[in-house]
């Protein structure tokens, strides 16, 4: 396994306070280039809290814009949709990858909180697709991801992870609550809601009108079982993950939090959530 090679300083996996946000060096060491990144007007920024369904929507957008082409068959999703703030030397940084993307539009992914997104995205009035997932499942997914990904801080056991997460000692930590959701250039997509409806809404936001056949191809190509088997979408080509601990395409379900949260943890979470999430327009499903 190729671990990131940072020349000096603290471990790449330790959390550091970065502009008030908990991050690791994997996401902060290329900051100057991230901050100065030059967005283009037709760029589409895929913004999510990590593990909210980023890969799912990346695949939807890639199929919508570029169809089932050679690119789908030969380039892994993390090359088709670069991760803006990531830097795992000796690999190319996310900004460099985005700069080198030959496509138009460019699909670019970020987990940065709203206030840290490079300002050129706003200046260029780029369209932003934000994916939101119910926070309990998002947290469980993140726990398993931290177990298997070498780029993340080690989570400890579930109870330790839960406590740290509740205390804000977890990566990124902040959702896009401060984003102005009524902004014309921002569209919010709900993970595992009615996919066909979400795709229709996404298309009208993007001004696209795929044929019935194209829509069918997109629905099929982004189904969990199909993406799980798709080597160009399931991250099996990415070196810093141990699928023996937990696969990237883990369950893809709503409600797995019930297999992890204790009754007391659920109460603590609900209490905290009520004080922090005040947007009544988003309706998440925590069970099916
Ligand atoms: P689970 O760990 O709950 O299974 P991200 O892409 O933001 O890292 O999110 C990863 C989560 O999305 C994982 O959730 C993964 O299984 C799920 N996922 C990925 N592709 C999916 C798809 N096509 N349909 C449903 N869920 C998907």
């Amino acid at each position: 396994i190729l671990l990131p090679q940072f020349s000096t300083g603290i471990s790449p996996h330790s959390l550091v306070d970065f502009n008030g946000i908990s991050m690791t060096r994997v996401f902060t060491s290329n900051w100057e280039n991230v901050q100065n990144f030059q967005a283009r007007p037709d760029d589409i920024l895929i913004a999510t809290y990590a593990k909210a369904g980023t890969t799912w929507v990346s695949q939807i957008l890639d199929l919508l814009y570029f169809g089932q082409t050679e690119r789908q068959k030969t380039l892994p999703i993390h090359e088709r949709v670069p991760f803006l703030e990531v830097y795992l030397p000796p690999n190319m940084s996310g900004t460099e990858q985005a700069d080198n993307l030959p496509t138009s539009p460019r699909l670019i992914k970020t987990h940065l909180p709203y206030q840290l997104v490079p300002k050129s995205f706003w200046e260029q009035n780029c369209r932003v697709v934000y994916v939101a997932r119910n926070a309990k499942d998002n947290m469980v997914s993140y726990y398993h991801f931290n177990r298997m990904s070498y780029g993340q801080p080690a989570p400890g056991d579930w109870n330790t992870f839960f406590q740290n997460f509740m205390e804000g000692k977890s990566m990124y930590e902040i959702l896009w609550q401060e984003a102005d959701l009524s902004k014309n250039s921002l569209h919010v997509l709900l993970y595992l809601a009615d996919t066909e409806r979400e795709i229709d809404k996404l298309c009208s936001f993007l001004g696209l009108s795929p044929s019935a056949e194209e829509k069918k191809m997109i629905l099929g190509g982004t189904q969990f079982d199909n993406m799980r088997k798709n080597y160009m979408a399931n991250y099996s080509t990415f070196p810093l993950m141990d699928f023996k601990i937990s696969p990237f395409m883990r369950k893809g379900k709503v409600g797995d939090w019930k297999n992890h949260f204790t009754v007391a943890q659920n109460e603590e979470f609900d209490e905290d959530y009520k004080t922090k999430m005040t947007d009544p327009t988003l309706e998440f499903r925590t069970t099916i």
Side-chain angles (χ1 to χ4, degrees), residues 50-56 133 141 191-192 222-224 227 248-252:
K51 311 318 285 178
T54 329
T55 317
W56 169 68
R133 182 177 190 180
S141 180
Y191 172 78
L192 289 192
T222 57
Q223 238 173 36
F224 181 74
M227 274 183 68
F248 186 93
M249 298 289 170
R250 198 181 57 91
K251 288 197 176 171

mmCIF file with all atom_site columns, all heavy atoms in Angstrom, residues 50-56 133 141 191-192 222-224 227 248-252, ligand 1:
data_model
loop_
_atom_site.group_PDB
_atom_site.id
_atom_site.type_symbol
_atom_site.label_atom_id
_atom_site.label_alt_id
_atom_site.label_comp_id
_atom_site.label_asym_id
_atom_site.label_entity_id
_atom_site.label_seq_id
_atom_site.pdbx_PDB_ins_code
_atom_site.Cartn_x
_atom_site.Cartn_y
_atom_site.Cartn_z
_atom_site.occupancy
_atom_site.B_iso_or_equiv
_atom_site.pdbx_formal_charge
_atom_site.auth_seq_id
_atom_site.auth_comp_id
_atom_site.auth_asym_id
_atom_site.auth_atom_id
_atom_site.pdbx_PDB_model_num
ATOM   1   N N   . ALA A 1 50  ? -18.741 13.938 3.532   1.00 0.00 ? 50  ALA A N   1
ATOM   2   C CA  . ALA A 1 50  ? -18.197 12.641 3.127   1.00 0.00 ? 50  ALA A CA  1
ATOM   3   C C   . ALA A 1 50  ? -19.163 11.509 3.492   1.00 0.00 ? 50  ALA A C   1
ATOM   4   O O   . ALA A 1 50  ? -19.739 11.516 4.581   1.00 0.00 ? 50  ALA A O   1
ATOM   5   C CB  . ALA A 1 50  ? -16.858 12.421 3.814   1.00 0.00 ? 50  ALA A CB  1
ATOM   6   N N   . LYS A 1 51  ? -19.337 10.593 2.586   1.00 0.00 ? 51  LYS A N   1
ATOM   7   C CA  . LYS A 1 51  ? -20.178 9.398  2.722   1.00 0.00 ? 51  LYS A CA  1
ATOM   8   C C   . LYS A 1 51  ? -21.682 9.656  2.578   1.00 0.00 ? 51  LYS A C   1
ATOM   9   O O   . LYS A 1 51  ? -22.508 8.861  3.018   1.00 0.00 ? 51  LYS A O   1
ATOM   10  C CB  . LYS A 1 51  ? -19.924 8.642  4.050   1.00 0.00 ? 51  LYS A CB  1
ATOM   11  C CG  . LYS A 1 51  ? -18.492 8.365  4.361   1.00 0.00 ? 51  LYS A CG  1
ATOM   12  C CD  . LYS A 1 51  ? -17.684 7.903  3.192   1.00 0.00 ? 51  LYS A CD  1
ATOM   13  C CE  . LYS A 1 51  ? -17.948 6.473  2.791   1.00 0.00 ? 51  LYS A CE  1
ATOM   14  N NZ  . LYS A 1 51  ? -17.133 6.104  1.599   1.00 0.00 ? 51  LYS A NZ  1
ATOM   15  N N   . ALA A 1 52  ? -22.002 10.780 1.955   1.00 0.00 ? 52  ALA A N   1
ATOM   16  C CA  . ALA A 1 52  ? -23.422 11.097 1.753   1.00 0.00 ? 52  ALA A CA  1
ATOM   17  C C   . ALA A 1 52  ? -23.958 10.562 0.431   1.00 0.00 ? 52  ALA A C   1
ATOM   18  O O   . ALA A 1 52  ? -25.154 10.662 0.164   1.00 0.00 ? 52  ALA A O   1
ATOM   19  C CB  . ALA A 1 52  ? -23.620 12.606 1.815   1.00 0.00 ? 52  ALA A CB  1
ATOM   20  N N   . GLY A 1 53  ? -23.094 10.003 -0.407  1.00 0.00 ? 53  GLY A N   1
ATOM   21  C CA  . GLY A 1 53  ? -23.541 9.525  -1.719  1.00 0.00 ? 53  GLY A CA  1
ATOM   22  C C   . GLY A 1 53  ? -22.819 10.247 -2.852  1.00 0.00 ? 53  GLY A C   1
ATOM   23  O O   . GLY A 1 53  ? -23.344 10.350 -3.965  1.00 0.00 ? 53  GLY A O   1
ATOM   24  N N   . THR A 1 54  ? -21.622 10.708 -2.573  1.00 0.00 ? 54  THR A N   1
ATOM   25  C CA  . THR A 1 54  ? -20.825 11.451 -3.550  1.00 0.00 ? 54  THR A CA  1
ATOM   26  C C   . THR A 1 54  ? -20.576 10.644 -4.827  1.00 0.00 ? 54  THR A C   1
ATOM   27  O O   . THR A 1 54  ? -20.709 11.152 -5.942  1.00 0.00 ? 54  THR A O   1
ATOM   28  C CB  . THR A 1 54  ? -19.436 11.799 -2.947  1.00 0.00 ? 54  THR A CB  1
ATOM   29  O OG1 . THR A 1 54  ? -19.571 11.972 -1.550  1.00 0.00 ? 54  THR A OG1 1
ATOM   30  C CG2 . THR A 1 54  ? -18.834 13.008 -3.600  1.00 0.00 ? 54  THR A CG2 1
ATOM   31  N N   . THR A 1 55  ? -20.215 9.382  -4.642  1.00 0.00 ? 55  THR A N   1
ATOM   32  C CA  . THR A 1 55  ? -19.847 8.545  -5.781  1.00 0.00 ? 55  THR A CA  1
ATOM   33  C C   . THR A 1 55  ? -21.080 8.240  -6.630  1.00 0.00 ? 55  THR A C   1
ATOM   34  O O   . THR A 1 55  ? -21.021 8.229  -7.857  1.00 0.00 ? 55  THR A O   1
ATOM   35  C CB  . THR A 1 55  ? -19.211 7.228  -5.276  1.00 0.00 ? 55  THR A CB  1
ATOM   36  O OG1 . THR A 1 55  ? -18.313 7.566  -4.211  1.00 0.00 ? 55  THR A OG1 1
ATOM   37  C CG2 . THR A 1 55  ? -18.463 6.510  -6.362  1.00 0.00 ? 55  THR A CG2 1
ATOM   38  N N   . TRP A 1 56  ? -22.187 8.019  -5.943  1.00 0.00 ? 56  TRP A N   1
ATOM   39  C CA  . TRP A 1 56  ? -23.464 7.765  -6.626  1.00 0.00 ? 56  TRP A CA  1
ATOM   40  C C   . TRP A 1 56  ? -23.824 8.945  -7.535  1.00 0.00 ? 56  TRP A C   1
ATOM   41  O O   . TRP A 1 56  ? -24.076 8.779  -8.722  1.00 0.00 ? 56  TRP A O   1
ATOM   42  C CB  . TRP A 1 56  ? -24.530 7.509  -5.552  1.00 0.00 ? 56  TRP A CB  1
ATOM   43  C CG  . TRP A 1 56  ? -25.942 7.479  -6.002  1.00 0.00 ? 56  TRP A CG  1
ATOM   44  C CD1 . TRP A 1 56  ? -26.527 6.535  -6.797  1.00 0.00 ? 56  TRP A CD1 1
ATOM   45  C CD2 . TRP A 1 56  ? -26.959 8.433  -5.673  1.00 0.00 ? 56  TRP A CD2 1
ATOM   46  N NE1 . TRP A 1 56  ? -27.867 6.846  -6.970  1.00 0.00 ? 56  TRP A NE1 1
ATOM   47  C CE2 . TRP A 1 56  ? -28.151 7.993  -6.297  1.00 0.00 ? 56  TRP A CE2 1
ATOM   48  C CE3 . TRP A 1 56  ? -26.999 9.599  -4.903  1.00 0.00 ? 56  TRP A CE3 1
ATOM   49  C CZ2 . TRP A 1 56  ? -29.349 8.691  -6.179  1.00 0.00 ? 56  TRP A CZ2 1
ATOM   50  C CZ3 . TRP A 1 56  ? -28.190 10.288 -4.780  1.00 0.00 ? 56  TRP A CZ3 1
ATOM   51  C CH2 . TRP A 1 56  ? -29.343 9.838  -5.416  1.00 0.00 ? 56  TRP A CH2 1
ATOM   52  N N   . ARG A 1 133 ? -27.676 13.300 2.947   1.00 0.00 ? 133 ARG A N   1
ATOM   53  C CA  . ARG A 1 133 ? -28.097 11.971 3.399   1.00 0.00 ? 133 ARG A CA  1
ATOM   54  C C   . ARG A 1 133 ? -28.514 12.086 4.860   1.00 0.00 ? 133 ARG A C   1
ATOM   55  O O   . ARG A 1 133 ? -27.973 12.941 5.577   1.00 0.00 ? 133 ARG A O   1
ATOM   56  C CB  . ARG A 1 133 ? -26.895 11.023 3.287   1.00 0.00 ? 133 ARG A CB  1
ATOM   57  C CG  . ARG A 1 133 ? -27.194 9.595  3.680   1.00 0.00 ? 133 ARG A CG  1
ATOM   58  C CD  . ARG A 1 133 ? -25.971 8.694  3.485   1.00 0.00 ? 133 ARG A CD  1
ATOM   59  N NE  . ARG A 1 133 ? -26.354 7.309  3.640   1.00 0.00 ? 133 ARG A NE  1
ATOM   60  C CZ  . ARG A 1 133 ? -25.527 6.274  3.527   1.00 0.00 ? 133 ARG A CZ  1
ATOM   61  N NH1 . ARG A 1 133 ? -24.250 6.480  3.219   1.00 0.00 ? 133 ARG A NH1 1
ATOM   62  N NH2 . ARG A 1 133 ? -25.956 5.042  3.686   1.00 0.00 ? 133 ARG A NH2 1
ATOM   63  N N   . SER A 1 141 ? -21.788 5.166  7.945   1.00 0.00 ? 141 SER A N   1
ATOM   64  C CA  . SER A 1 141 ? -21.001 4.915  6.741   1.00 0.00 ? 141 SER A CA  1
ATOM   65  C C   . SER A 1 141 ? -19.591 5.483  6.921   1.00 0.00 ? 141 SER A C   1
ATOM   66  O O   . SER A 1 141 ? -18.591 4.859  6.545   1.00 0.00 ? 141 SER A O   1
ATOM   67  C CB  . SER A 1 141 ? -21.701 5.559  5.538   1.00 0.00 ? 141 SER A CB  1
ATOM   68  O OG  . SER A 1 141 ? -20.974 5.328  4.369   1.00 0.00 ? 141 SER A OG  1
ATOM   69  N N   . TYR A 1 191 ? -30.078 11.571 -1.007  1.00 0.00 ? 191 TYR A N   1
ATOM   70  C CA  . TYR A 1 191 ? -29.564 10.213 -1.200  1.00 0.00 ? 191 TYR A CA  1
ATOM   71  C C   . TYR A 1 191 ? -30.664 9.179  -0.934  1.00 0.00 ? 191 TYR A C   1
ATOM   72  O O   . TYR A 1 191 ? -31.339 9.232  0.086   1.00 0.00 ? 191 TYR A O   1
ATOM   73  C CB  . TYR A 1 191 ? -28.390 9.989  -0.252  1.00 0.00 ? 191 TYR A CB  1
ATOM   74  C CG  . TYR A 1 191 ? -27.880 8.565  -0.195  1.00 0.00 ? 191 TYR A CG  1
ATOM   75  C CD1 . TYR A 1 191 ? -27.065 8.063  -1.188  1.00 0.00 ? 191 TYR A CD1 1
ATOM   76  C CD2 . TYR A 1 191 ? -28.220 7.735  0.874   1.00 0.00 ? 191 TYR A CD2 1
ATOM   77  C CE1 . TYR A 1 191 ? -26.585 6.758  -1.131  1.00 0.00 ? 191 TYR A CE1 1
ATOM   78  C CE2 . TYR A 1 191 ? -27.743 6.428  0.941   1.00 0.00 ? 191 TYR A CE2 1
ATOM   79  C CZ  . TYR A 1 191 ? -26.932 5.954  -0.067  1.00 0.00 ? 191 TYR A CZ  1
ATOM   80  O OH  . TYR A 1 191 ? -26.466 4.670  0.001   1.00 0.00 ? 191 TYR A OH  1
ATOM   81  N N   . LEU A 1 192 ? -30.814 8.267  -1.866  1.00 0.00 ? 192 LEU A N   1
ATOM   82  C CA  . LEU A 1 192 ? -31.758 7.163  -1.775  1.00 0.00 ? 192 LEU A CA  1
ATOM   83  C C   . LEU A 1 192 ? -33.205 7.567  -1.547  1.00 0.00 ? 192 LEU A C   1
ATOM   84  O O   . LEU A 1 192 ? -33.975 6.827  -0.961  1.00 0.00 ? 192 LEU A O   1
ATOM   85  C CB  . LEU A 1 192 ? -31.316 6.152  -0.701  1.00 0.00 ? 192 LEU A CB  1
ATOM   86  C CG  . LEU A 1 192 ? -30.099 5.317  -1.061  1.00 0.00 ? 192 LEU A CG  1
ATOM   87  C CD1 . LEU A 1 192 ? -29.936 4.172  -0.073  1.00 0.00 ? 192 LEU A CD1 1
ATOM   88  C CD2 . LEU A 1 192 ? -30.181 4.737  -2.464  1.00 0.00 ? 192 LEU A CD2 1
ATOM   89  N N   . THR A 1 222 ? -26.419 3.331  -12.230 1.00 0.00 ? 222 THR A N   1
ATOM   90  C CA  . THR A 1 222 ? -26.148 3.898  -10.901 1.00 0.00 ? 222 THR A CA  1
ATOM   91  C C   . THR A 1 222 ? -26.827 3.107  -9.784  1.00 0.00 ? 222 THR A C   1
ATOM   92  O O   . THR A 1 222 ? -26.807 3.507  -8.632  1.00 0.00 ? 222 THR A O   1
ATOM   93  C CB  . THR A 1 222 ? -26.605 5.372  -10.831 1.00 0.00 ? 222 THR A CB  1
ATOM   94  O OG1 . THR A 1 222 ? -27.991 5.442  -11.168 1.00 0.00 ? 222 THR A OG1 1
ATOM   95  C CG2 . THR A 1 222 ? -25.813 6.238  -11.774 1.00 0.00 ? 222 THR A CG2 1
ATOM   96  N N   . GLN A 1 223 ? -27.422 1.965  -10.161 1.00 0.00 ? 223 GLN A N   1
ATOM   97  C CA  . GLN A 1 223 ? -27.987 1.088  -9.140  1.00 0.00 ? 223 GLN A CA  1
ATOM   98  C C   . GLN A 1 223 ? -26.857 0.538  -8.266  1.00 0.00 ? 223 GLN A C   1
ATOM   99  O O   . GLN A 1 223 ? -25.788 0.226  -8.776  1.00 0.00 ? 223 GLN A O   1
ATOM   100 C CB  . GLN A 1 223 ? -28.665 -0.088 -9.836  1.00 0.00 ? 223 GLN A CB  1
ATOM   101 C CG  . GLN A 1 223 ? -30.124 -0.218 -9.479  1.00 0.00 ? 223 GLN A CG  1
ATOM   102 C CD  . GLN A 1 223 ? -30.749 -1.271 -10.333 1.00 0.00 ? 223 GLN A CD  1
ATOM   103 O OE1 . GLN A 1 223 ? -30.098 -2.281 -10.638 1.00 0.00 ? 223 GLN A OE1 1
ATOM   104 N NE2 . GLN A 1 223 ? -31.979 -1.036 -10.736 1.00 0.00 ? 223 GLN A NE2 1
ATOM   105 N N   . PHE A 1 224 ? -27.144 0.382  -6.981  1.00 0.00 ? 224 PHE A N   1
ATOM   106 C CA  . PHE A 1 224 ? -26.087 -0.030 -6.052  1.00 0.00 ? 224 PHE A CA  1
ATOM   107 C C   . PHE A 1 224 ? -25.369 -1.305 -6.510  1.00 0.00 ? 224 PHE A C   1
ATOM   108 O O   . PHE A 1 224 ? -24.139 -1.336 -6.583  1.00 0.00 ? 224 PHE A O   1
ATOM   109 C CB  . PHE A 1 224 ? -26.674 -0.209 -4.640  1.00 0.00 ? 224 PHE A CB  1
ATOM   110 C CG  . PHE A 1 224 ? -25.626 -0.613 -3.641  1.00 0.00 ? 224 PHE A CG  1
ATOM   111 C CD1 . PHE A 1 224 ? -24.695 0.306  -3.182  1.00 0.00 ? 224 PHE A CD1 1
ATOM   112 C CD2 . PHE A 1 224 ? -25.559 -1.913 -3.174  1.00 0.00 ? 224 PHE A CD2 1
ATOM   113 C CE1 . PHE A 1 224 ? -23.707 -0.061 -2.280  1.00 0.00 ? 224 PHE A CE1 1
ATOM   114 C CE2 . PHE A 1 224 ? -24.584 -2.292 -2.266  1.00 0.00 ? 224 PHE A CE2 1
ATOM   115 C CZ  . PHE A 1 224 ? -23.661 -1.364 -1.818  1.00 0.00 ? 224 PHE A CZ  1
ATOM   116 N N   . MET A 1 227 ? -23.146 -0.658 -9.509  1.00 0.00 ? 227 MET A N   1
ATOM   117 C CA  . MET A 1 227 ? -21.944 0.131  -9.194  1.00 0.00 ? 227 MET A CA  1
ATOM   118 C C   . MET A 1 227 ? -20.963 -0.673 -8.345  1.00 0.00 ? 227 MET A C   1
ATOM   119 O O   . MET A 1 227 ? -19.765 -0.531 -8.456  1.00 0.00 ? 227 MET A O   1
ATOM   120 C CB  . MET A 1 227 ? -22.318 1.441  -8.503  1.00 0.00 ? 227 MET A CB  1
ATOM   121 C CG  . MET A 1 227 ? -22.641 2.526  -9.519  1.00 0.00 ? 227 MET A CG  1
ATOM   122 S SD  . MET A 1 227 ? -23.013 4.118  -8.821  1.00 0.00 ? 227 MET A SD  1
ATOM   123 C CE  . MET A 1 227 ? -21.447 4.633  -8.124  1.00 0.00 ? 227 MET A CE  1
ATOM   124 N N   . PHE A 1 248 ? -15.825 -0.377 -0.079  1.00 0.00 ? 248 PHE A N   1
ATOM   125 C CA  . PHE A 1 248 ? -16.294 1.007  -0.305  1.00 0.00 ? 248 PHE A CA  1
ATOM   126 C C   . PHE A 1 248 ? -17.806 0.992  -0.537  1.00 0.00 ? 248 PHE A C   1
ATOM   127 O O   . PHE A 1 248 ? -18.557 1.763  0.048   1.00 0.00 ? 248 PHE A O   1
ATOM   128 C CB  . PHE A 1 248 ? -15.573 1.621  -1.510  1.00 0.00 ? 248 PHE A CB  1
ATOM   129 C CG  . PHE A 1 248 ? -15.913 3.072  -1.700  1.00 0.00 ? 248 PHE A CG  1
ATOM   130 C CD1 . PHE A 1 248 ? -15.128 4.059  -1.138  1.00 0.00 ? 248 PHE A CD1 1
ATOM   131 C CD2 . PHE A 1 248 ? -17.036 3.447  -2.422  1.00 0.00 ? 248 PHE A CD2 1
ATOM   132 C CE1 . PHE A 1 248 ? -15.459 5.405  -1.286  1.00 0.00 ? 248 PHE A CE1 1
ATOM   133 C CE2 . PHE A 1 248 ? -17.371 4.781  -2.579  1.00 0.00 ? 248 PHE A CE2 1
ATOM   134 C CZ  . PHE A 1 248 ? -16.579 5.760  -2.014  1.00 0.00 ? 248 PHE A CZ  1
ATOM   135 N N   . MET A 1 249 ? -18.241 0.106  -1.420  1.00 0.00 ? 249 MET A N   1
ATOM   136 C CA  . MET A 1 249 ? -19.673 -0.069 -1.656  1.00 0.00 ? 249 MET A CA  1
ATOM   137 C C   . MET A 1 249 ? -20.146 -1.042 -0.579  1.00 0.00 ? 249 MET A C   1
ATOM   138 O O   . MET A 1 249 ? -20.137 -2.263 -0.775  1.00 0.00 ? 249 MET A O   1
ATOM   139 C CB  . MET A 1 249 ? -19.916 -0.660 -3.051  1.00 0.00 ? 249 MET A CB  1
ATOM   140 C CG  . MET A 1 249 ? -19.447 0.216  -4.180  1.00 0.00 ? 249 MET A CG  1
ATOM   141 S SD  . MET A 1 249 ? -20.503 1.650  -4.316  1.00 0.00 ? 249 MET A SD  1
ATOM   142 C CE  . MET A 1 249 ? -19.580 2.641  -5.472  1.00 0.00 ? 249 MET A CE  1
ATOM   143 N N   . ARG A 1 250 ? -20.525 -0.526 0.531   1.00 0.00 ? 250 ARG A N   1
ATOM   144 C CA  . ARG A 1 250 ? -20.730 -1.350 1.725   1.00 0.00 ? 250 ARG A CA  1
ATOM   145 C C   . ARG A 1 250 ? -22.152 -1.925 1.750   1.00 0.00 ? 250 ARG A C   1
ATOM   146 O O   . ARG A 1 250 ? -22.355 -3.108 1.546   1.00 0.00 ? 250 ARG A O   1
ATOM   147 C CB  . ARG A 1 250 ? -20.454 -0.473 2.955   1.00 0.00 ? 250 ARG A CB  1
ATOM   148 C CG  . ARG A 1 250 ? -20.200 -1.205 4.258   1.00 0.00 ? 250 ARG A CG  1
ATOM   149 C CD  . ARG A 1 250 ? -19.982 -0.200 5.371   1.00 0.00 ? 250 ARG A CD  1
ATOM   150 N NE  . ARG A 1 250 ? -21.118 0.699  5.493   1.00 0.00 ? 250 ARG A NE  1
ATOM   151 C CZ  . ARG A 1 250 ? -22.170 0.494  6.268   1.00 0.00 ? 250 ARG A CZ  1
ATOM   152 N NH1 . ARG A 1 250 ? -22.219 -0.579 7.035   1.00 0.00 ? 250 ARG A NH1 1
ATOM   153 N NH2 . ARG A 1 250 ? -23.168 1.371  6.313   1.00 0.00 ? 250 ARG A NH2 1
ATOM   154 N N   . LYS A 1 251 ? -23.154 -1.093 1.992   1.00 0.00 ? 251 LYS A N   1
ATOM   155 C CA  . LYS A 1 251 ? -24.540 -1.591 2.024   1.00 0.00 ? 251 LYS A CA  1
ATOM   156 C C   . LYS A 1 251 ? -25.455 -0.792 1.106   1.00 0.00 ? 251 LYS A C   1
ATOM   157 O O   . LYS A 1 251 ? -26.407 -1.325 0.565   1.00 0.00 ? 251 LYS A O   1
ATOM   158 C CB  . LYS A 1 251 ? -25.083 -1.515 3.444   1.00 0.00 ? 251 LYS A CB  1
ATOM   159 C CG  . LYS A 1 251 ? -24.490 -2.536 4.383   1.00 0.00 ? 251 LYS A CG  1
ATOM   160 C CD  . LYS A 1 251 ? -25.337 -2.701 5.628   1.00 0.00 ? 251 LYS A CD  1
ATOM   161 C CE  . LYS A 1 251 ? -24.778 -3.806 6.504   1.00 0.00 ? 251 LYS A CE  1
ATOM   162 N NZ  . LYS A 1 251 ? -25.445 -3.858 7.811   1.00 0.00 ? 251 LYS A NZ  1
ATOM   163 N N   . GLY A 1 252 ? -25.221 0.528  1.032   1.00 0.00 ? 252 GLY A N   1
ATOM   164 C CA  . GLY A 1 252 ? -26.056 1.371  0.175   1.00 0.00 ? 252 GLY A CA  1
ATOM   165 C C   . GLY A 1 252 ? -27.515 1.358  0.583   1.00 0.00 ? 252 GLY A C   1
ATOM   166 O O   . GLY A 1 252 ? -28.400 1.219  -0.262  1.00 0.00 ? 252 GLY A O   1
HETATM 167 P P1  . LIG B 2 .   ? -22.753 2.767  2.987   1.00 0.00 ? 1   LIG B P1  1
HETATM 168 O O1  . LIG B 2 .   ? -21.430 2.803  3.681   1.00 0.00 ? 1   LIG B O1  1
HETATM 169 O O2  . LIG B 2 .   ? -23.886 3.119  3.928   1.00 0.00 ? 1   LIG B O2  1
HETATM 170 O O3  . LIG B 2 .   ? -23.011 1.522  2.239   1.00 0.00 ? 1   LIG B O3  1
HETATM 171 P P2  . LIG B 2 .   ? -19.570 8.496  -0.746  1.00 0.00 ? 1   LIG B P2  1
HETATM 172 O O4  . LIG B 2 .   ? -19.615 8.136  -2.185  1.00 0.00 ? 1   LIG B O4  1
HETATM 173 O O5  . LIG B 2 .   ? -20.040 9.880  -0.444  1.00 0.00 ? 1   LIG B O5  1
HETATM 174 O O6  . LIG B 2 .   ? -18.265 8.163  -0.120  1.00 0.00 ? 1   LIG B O6  1
HETATM 175 O O7  . LIG B 2 .   ? -20.678 7.589  -0.022  1.00 0.00 ? 1   LIG B O7  1
HETATM 176 C C1  . LIG B 2 .   ? -20.510 6.203  0.106   1.00 0.00 ? 1   LIG B C1  1
HETATM 177 C C2  . LIG B 2 .   ? -21.830 5.603  0.505   1.00 0.00 ? 1   LIG B C2  1
HETATM 178 O O8  . LIG B 2 .   ? -22.710 5.604  -0.619  1.00 0.00 ? 1   LIG B O8  1
HETATM 179 C C3  . LIG B 2 .   ? -21.689 4.173  0.950   1.00 0.00 ? 1   LIG B C3  1
HETATM 180 O O9  . LIG B 2 .   ? -22.756 3.956  1.893   1.00 0.00 ? 1   LIG B O9  1
HETATM 181 C C4  . LIG B 2 .   ? -21.925 3.442  -0.373  1.00 0.00 ? 1   LIG B C4  1
HETATM 182 O O10 . LIG B 2 .   ? -22.283 2.090  -0.244  1.00 0.00 ? 1   LIG B O10 1
HETATM 183 C C5  . LIG B 2 .   ? -23.076 4.272  -0.917  1.00 0.00 ? 1   LIG B C5  1
HETATM 184 N N1  . LIG B 2 .   ? -23.267 4.137  -2.362  1.00 0.00 ? 1   LIG B N1  1
HETATM 185 C C6  . LIG B 2 .   ? -22.330 4.230  -3.340  1.00 0.00 ? 1   LIG B C6  1
HETATM 186 N N2  . LIG B 2 .   ? -22.890 4.025  -4.544  1.00 0.00 ? 1   LIG B N2  1
HETATM 187 C C7  . LIG B 2 .   ? -24.199 3.827  -4.336  1.00 0.00 ? 1   LIG B C7  1
HETATM 188 C C8  . LIG B 2 .   ? -25.311 3.563  -5.195  1.00 0.00 ? 1   LIG B C8  1
HETATM 189 N N3  . LIG B 2 .   ? -25.153 3.452  -6.501  1.00 0.00 ? 1   LIG B N3  1
HETATM 190 N N4  . LIG B 2 .   ? -26.525 3.422  -4.624  1.00 0.00 ? 1   LIG B N4  1
HETATM 191 C C9  . LIG B 2 .   ? -26.685 3.501  -3.299  1.00 0.00 ? 1   LIG B C9  1
HETATM 192 N N5  . LIG B 2 .   ? -25.667 3.750  -2.444  1.00 0.00 ? 1   LIG B N5  1
HETATM 193 C C10 . LIG B 2 .   ? -24.444 3.902  -2.951  1.00 0.00 ? 1   LIG B C10 1
#
